[in-house]
Amino acid sequence: MTVRRDFQEPPRSRPDLVIGREDLFTSAREQLGRGGSVLLHGPAGIGKSTVLRALAADYGGAARTVLRCSATESESHLPFLALADLFGLVLDDVSGRLPAAQRTALESALTGRGESTLQQDGLALRLAVLSALRALAAEGPVLVVADDLQWLDAASAELLGFAARRLGDTPVQMLCAVRTEGQEYDRHLRASPPDTLAVRLGPLTRAQVSALLDHRGYTPLSRSTVRDIHRTSAGNPLFALELGRALAESPARPRPGEPLPVPTSLRALVLSRLEMLSDEARRTLLVASAGARPTLALLHAAGREHAEAETAQAAALGLLATEAEGPAVRFAHPLISAALYAEAPAAERRAVHAALSTAASDPIERARHLALATTGTDPEVAARLAEAGALARDRGAPSVAASLGLLAARHTPADSAPGPDERRLQAAEDAITAGEADLARDIARDVLTRATVPAERVRAWMVVIEAAGQALGDVDAVFPQALADAGDDPRLLALVHYQLAWRGLVVEGDFAEARQEAAHAAELAARGEDRRTELMALSFQASTETLMGHPDAPATVKRALREPQDPYVACHHNGAGSARFRWLIMSDQLPEARATITALLREVRRRGMVESEVHFLRFLAETELRSGHCGRALDLARESLRLARDSGIGEGASAMLTSLAEASAGDVDRALALAREAADHAEVDGDQMYLSRALAALGYAQLVAGDPAATVRSLRRVRELEQSLGITDPARGRWHGDLAEALVRIGEPGEAQDVIDTARAHALRLGRQSVLAVLDRAEALVRAARGEHEAAAVRLASVRDRLGGLGYGLEEARAAFDLARLRAQAAAFPRTGGAPLPGPASYDEAARLFRRCRALPWLRQVDAAATAGATAVEPAPVAAPVARDALEGLASMERQVASLVMEGATNREIAARLFISVKTVEATLTRVYRKLGIRSRVDIVRLAAGRRTT
């Protein structure tokens, strides 16, 4: 089919494409924009056609002519069919411009008039296709869009390849997609233009599969179900969507331990080769599909005597592969295993599980298979499952423990002790530990529909609250019900008041209320002899007091660390170890903080505590960032964010910290986007505490991006939030220096000094040495803006050394950068009667320190400043109106650019603040130079300096 592009199509929405395909779409789009061609390749169902259509829609408007074809397997035997699709509608336009022999051969091939073949008219046909493309390209660019190249008829494929290799500089581009396994695209690449970019589409991550399912409306699926869909589909979007659709349409969800239901469409796709297997080989594969980690030894133990031959037969058909380095048996795709199991009758599946319940060597696996082989309640089976769940918990596999707990509940008689609901609640608590909050909430809600025992009801309410995460406002109605169920039992009341402490902090934003509730919970727990809850409450109280700058914080931390300890609390992200970490990092004890959090992270990984792992990865990233190990911090922050998105836990907090790391060591634009994402999360959750942290990260990213006005807007709001929350410790957010610096840059040194003075008073009271040093750096900028250059230089040199001694590498580098800018400006514009500033006017030290930190965005600023020369004059808008007299003859944009140059902004900073490109800034400056009769941006600065002294 051919579409002439005489009009501009509106951009289309590409929701499916942008999920997990952003980077490859951008690279493919850039390749097309450069005039090159693109070959998309990957396995069936991976999304090639979706990306192809989106690229064609996005880029097709740039082409005069778009030629399209999409082959199918059933038509691949018909010669010249793809050629007819491509040229059929333009044959009349181009045939008159072809030599007679070529025109005759092409018309015969496309219309069927005559018996044209490659053997008979080979050269004429080849040249005709090449000439036709050149004729179309003479009128404007041509885009050839071809999907499913693997089904192209041989004649069309040969002709297109011949032309593609000979187009040279002719404006003809090809956008093609082909189904491949592994790297089997070389043959198609050789038949493409020489400048073709091969782009392989890989599997989606779990978070991307979740986003895709959400977009298609399959939102009721739990995260544990999405995890199973991702595992079964191996990240293939087509398979994932089909599995999601089948689950969404199914009235009953699979029970614990059972694989996903596989729709008929996918069964036919993956099991078409099963008919070629013998019945015995098929039974062997069924045993392998039911086993968690099937091996040949396991198959033998389960009664499959000829497992080697039968698995070899399956491998020959592409259903199964054996690991070269070991005895493990692996299916070619997880979907094959799931479909095979789904096809088997229930009785046959139970028989397989019965065989595996004695064949498996692992006690957890034996218990699971025994449960799946048993129907109805059986106290002995339930007890074995409970024991297996405890073993899984000890091994650090809480997700497995939750699954086993649900199986145990299913087989527990109603009158047993412990009863089925008690086992369900244990499964829910294991699910919380594993990061499967939605599964835990569903279990607890189910228990609440029938539970009458107060302890079970309160325990279920606690799971519902825990599952809400930061969105505690969504479960406000739970607290009165939980208090009513707790009655006057101090153990139960302690649990509720502990959660009320969190509500006071997160929902109300009231640190004083949160601290009071935590202390009350600790007292109740001690009275009820519940040491675990007492320690959790004391840890929360200690953390709150630390953030408040409360004088009792050190004593409360010691109380929380007092023996006897509880192993779970000791490593929990809200436990005593975490409280101690917060105290250490706010007290500038970075090596001790790193050692503490590293040990905690190791332990929660061993225990499988996903939520705690998310938080501790973030804490470790924060420690490394403050230490100036920015590259390491960025890696850790990205890992935390990936895990947070996979589990749905702590996404806002991880986005906030990743924003700080990106602004320091990565991509500033991404830092801005992540900070806004974190703020959105906090706004939706009603979490005032993390909203202030997110806005502080946004302000920092805006400062690095060169937008001090936006920084001031963001950080002023942080100041208001923290004042309303009662947060007085400036070490909590460490935004005060950034706000003061941004205020200086926009010409508000008086307000900057007020920010510094207020924060300094609290920092002195609490002994926050690093905060005091950063505030001194900001005050040096205030002094420089007021003309006190020598005092500012002395202060900056002192600050640089103090921060280096404290181990704050990035802040040390920032102080060195400010000092270098001040010295460079003083060297370029010596003042009458003023003594030269001590030290070299060089950016080398700042560059060295930023390079040591791997602080790439800051290093780029140093390079820009060094390249531009002495442009970083002190921000002094008070003198700007006088200097602007020289700019009256300029156009509006020219005046804005020149004014920002006078303030010391780099071209990139100007572009960011005016929302224009750097090239536009450069072109505008050229016009300014011409109109003002000057040669460079240094002359603009000198002009400003001259006006200032008249």
Side-chain angles (χ1 to χ4, degrees), residues 610 613-614 617 638-648:
V610 174
E613 182 179 357
V614 170
L617 278 169
R638 286 173 173 172
E639 185 181 354
S640 173
L641 185 58
R642 281 194 299 271
L643 186 57
R645 286 178 169 163
D646 276 351
S647 62

Side-chain angles (χ1 to χ4, degrees), residues 49-79:
S49 297
T50 300
V51 177
L52 181 99
R53 288 192 295 269
L55 282 168
D58 191 77
Y59 183 73
R64 167 73 178 178
T65 305
V66 178
L67 308 176
R68 300 176 186 271
C69 71
S70 182
T72 63
E73 184 176 12
S74 61
E75 297 171 339
S76 60
H77 65 285
L78 300 174

Side-chain angles (χ1 to χ4, degrees), residues 818-858:
D818 288 335
L819 181 58
R821 283 191 288 197
L822 183 62
R823 285 171 173 166
Q825 175 242 319
F829 313 114
R831 296 173 181 269
T832 304
L837 296 181
S842 169
Y843 291 97
D844 291 347
E845 183 188 12
R848 177 183 65 80
L849 292 173
F850 281 130
R851 196 173 293 113
R852 184 182 68 184
C853 294
R854 281 181 56 194
L856 300 182
W858 286 105

Side-chain angles (χ1 to χ4, degrees), residues 448-712:
L448 285 166
T449 60
R450 57 181 172 272
T452 57
V453 178
E456 288 186 354
R457 291 188 61 80
V458 171
R459 192 175 171 189
W461 288 128
M462 294 305 99
V463 170
V464 172
I465 294 170
E466 287 278 359
Q470 297 297 113
L472 287 177
D474 294 347
V475 292
D476 254 352
V478 166
F479 290 98
Q481 299 177 69
L483 283 169
D485 285 331
D488 57 2
D489 186 328
R491 291 176 65 93
L492 301 181
L493 284 171
L495 292 171
V496 182
H497 281 280
Y498 172 70
Q499 295 297 346
L500 281 169
W502 277 104
R503 184 191 177 280
L505 181 62
V506 173
V507 179
E508 300 297 335
D510 190 332
F511 273 71
E513 179 187 342
R515 175 178 176 269
Q516 183 178 348
E517 286 285 2
H520 185 41
E523 179 188 345
L524 287 166
R527 206 181 333 147
E529 298 182 350
D530 180 358
R531 182 61 174 163
R532 173 173 291 190
T533 303
E534 181 188 7
L535 288 171
M536 291 294 288
L538 284 171
S539 300
F540 179 78
Q541 181 184 344
S543 295
T544 305
E545 290 173 348
T546 299
L547 295 173
M548 293 172 69
H550 196 284
D552 291 348
T556 309
V557 171
K558 288 181 181 178
R559 286 179 62 200
L561 292 169
R562 198 174 295 157
E563 296 294 338
Q565 283 292 311
D566 180 289
Y568 173 82
V569 177
C571 64
H572 192 274
H573 58 278
N574 290 321
S578 184
R580 180 171 183 269
F581 163 78
R582 288 188 181 93
W583 172 256
L584 288 169
I585 198 167
M586 292 177 72
S587 302
D588 298 325
Q589 301 180 56
L590 296 181
E592 294 88 345
R594 181 186 293 106
T596 297
I597 203 63
T598 300
L600 288 170
L601 179 59
R602 188 186 310 114
E603 180 62 15
V604 298
R605 280 175 165 165
R606 187 188 71 79
R607 290 172 171 266
M609 299 169 67
V610 174
E611 184 173 6
S612 294
E613 182 179 357
V614 170
H615 288 288
F616 289 158
L617 278 169
R618 190 176 78 252
F619 293 168
L620 183 55
E622 181 180 358
T623 307
E624 299 294 3
L625 193 59
R626 293 190 184 183
S627 302
H629 306 149
C630 300
R632 169 71 172 152
L634 182 58
D635 291 341
L636 289 164
R638 286 173 173 172
E639 185 181 354
S640 173
L641 185 58
R642 281 194 299 271
L643 186 57
R645 286 178 169 163
D646 276 351
S647 62
I649 295 169
E651 293 181 71
S654 292
M656 175 273 298
L657 200 283
T658 308
S659 170
L660 290 172
E662 289 282 359
S664 299
D667 185 319
V668 179
D669 290 335
R670 179 164 169 76
L672 292 165
L674 285 169
R676 294 187 177 103
E677 176 189 331
D680 288 344
H681 271 291
E683 295 270 22
V684 169
D685 292 342
D687 186 343
Q688 298 298 299
M689 184 175 64
Y690 264 114
L691 178 59
S692 69
R693 295 293 306 273
L695 290 172
L698 178 60
Y700 173 69
Q702 289 165 333
L703 185 67
V704 178
D707 192 349
T711 300
V712 169

Side-chain angles (χ1 to χ4, degrees), residues 791-813:
V794 172
R795 177 68 62 88
L796 285 171
S798 171
V799 165
R800 175 199 59 198
D801 295 341
R802 285 158 59 198
L803 288 167
L806 289 169
Y808 284 76
L810 182 59
E811 291 295 344
E812 177 191 6

Side-chain angles (χ1 to χ4, degrees), residues 52 168 235 245 299 429 589 662 674 766 861 938:
L52 181 99
R245 179 184 59 78
L299 296 178
E429 290 163 355
Q589 301 180 56
E662 289 282 359
L674 285 169
L766 297 166
Q861 288 194 33
V938 173

Side-chain angles (χ1 to χ4, degrees), residues 744-749 784-787 831 873-884 902-904 948:
V744 170
R745 289 193 186 185
I746 67 169
E748 298 288 350
R786 290 173 173 167
R831 296 173 181 269
V873 301
E874 70 277 17
V878 291
V882 182
R884 292 178 198 276
M902 288 178 176
E903 294 176 12
R948 200 173 288 124

